[in-house]
Each structure stands twice: as C-alpha cells, then as structure tokens.
Amino acid sequence: MTVSPDRTGPPAPIKTPCIKVCVVDGESGLCLGCYRRLNEVAAWARLSEAEREAILAELPDRRSLIRPEKLAMF
C-alpha cells in the first residue's frame, strides 16, 4: 500500500513564539512576551513559513529594544 503525499485532515500547527503574555510596549512597539510587532502578531497565520522564520530569527535581538525594567515584570 502506498501513502499519497496529498494530506487530508487538519493542517500542521503553525510555529509561534507566543507565550500568552500579550502586552505591547508603547516605546518599542513590541510585545513584551514574544517581541513581535502588533502587525506581525495580527498577520502571523497569513504569513508564509519563510516570512515567519525570518521574523523568528530577529526576535532574540529585539529583546534589547525593550527597557530591562519592563521585562522584569514577566
């Protein structure tokens, strides 16, 4: 029996950096939980996998754009 490459059923889950701390910092415009911009959060499901991977690669460096005292809350 050969398995067809065509999938039926639910789509694969989308990789996301969301940690359910959805608070946008007014100074940087970044979410304090995942470091994405509000427009990136809103469009996340519509972005291509390549676009999401590019954003994910930027997130560690974005942390430095938020004042440390704000991050201490989380």
Side-chain angles (χ1 to χ4, degrees):
M1 183 166 109
T2 305
V3 177
S4 171
D6 295 333
R7 287 186 60 183
T8 57
I14 296 174
K15 185 176 176 182
T16 177
C18 182
I19 61 167
K20 309 285 191 247
V21 174
C22 303
V23 178
V24 177
D25 173 44
E27 287 179 298
S28 68
L30 301 174
C31 173
L32 295 178
C34 67
Y35 314 126
R36 291 180 291 172
R37 294 176 186 95
L38 192 55
N39 65 324
E40 293 169 339
V41 173
W44 197 252
R46 294 186 308 276
L47 297 175
S48 70
E49 187 172 341
E51 290 170 318
R52 287 191 297 270
E53 289 297 328
I55 293 168
L56 287 169
E58 292 177 18
L59 298 182
D61 291 335
R62 290 184 185 183
R63 180 184 170 100
S64 67
L65 300 175
I66 302 171
R67 288 192 285 139
E69 61 270 21
K70 292 182 179 183
L71 293 172
M73 299 183 326
F74 304 99

